[in-house]
Amino acid sequence: QEQFVESGGGLVQPGGSLRLACAASRRIFSLYNMGWYRQALGDQRELVAVVTSGGATYYVDSVKGRFTISRDDAKNTVYLQMNSLNPEDTAVYYCNADRGYLSGRFISPWGQGTQVTVSS
């Protein structure tokens, strides 16, 4: 039932960059793949990127080449480096632990997320 706490969002201009962070427990990092998800205002939540416990990554097509997901096991933290941001990236970004791989099933309730706004 524990929620993750996301940070690093903000307001940036198109073409700018942000780095999001999500801290989790050591137990979570050792057992589950971690993902970043986003939900635009009035839209559905969608998968953005996943990093497995072994370090493999997956990205939705719309962010490939622009976003990089990574994990720091020493800090029990997953990051999302977002470059070349465009207004379509504007959303609340969430992290969660996947019960499998791209399973759509998560171990924790959704937290408040962190707002990313890309605007001129």
Side-chain angles (χ1 to χ4, degrees):
Q1 297 289 354
E2 182 179 355
Q3 294 178 327
F4 298 106
V5 179
E6 302 90 346
S7 63
L11 173 64
V12 297
Q13 296 182 8
S17 298
L18 286 172
R19 184 175 175 84
L20 309 184
C22 173
S25 70
R26 178 185 176 192
R27 171 182 170 273
I28 293 299
F29 263 66
S30 68
L31 293 175
Y32 299 99
N33 305 319
M34 296 294 299
W36 281 98
Y37 309 81
R38 67 186 180 186
Q39 185 171 20
L41 186 63
D43 209 344
Q44 299 294 318
R45 184 183 296 109
E46 66 170 342
L47 172 69
V48 176
V50 170
V51 59
T52 72
S53 58
T57 58
Y58 168 86
Y59 301 93
V60 69
D61 287 345
S62 61
V63 308
K64 286 182 178 177
R66 300 189 298 120
F67 291 10
T68 302
I69 188 171
S70 61
R71 58 189 293 147
D72 186 338
D73 291 340
K75 297 181 179 180
N76 299 321
T77 300
V78 61
Y79 301 95
L80 186 67
Q81 178 67 47
M82 304 184 295
N83 300 324
S84 301
L85 286 162
N86 59 63
E88 289 69 39
D89 297 315
T90 296
V92 179
Y93 285 70
Y94 305 87
C95 65
N96 213 324
D98 197 326
R99 288 192 177 274
Y101 179 70
L102 307 182
S103 71
R105 298 176 292 113
F106 309 98
I107 70 164
S108 298
W110 298 104
Q112 292 186 350
T114 185
Q115 176 71 51
V116 172
T117 302
V118 185
S119 176
S120 300

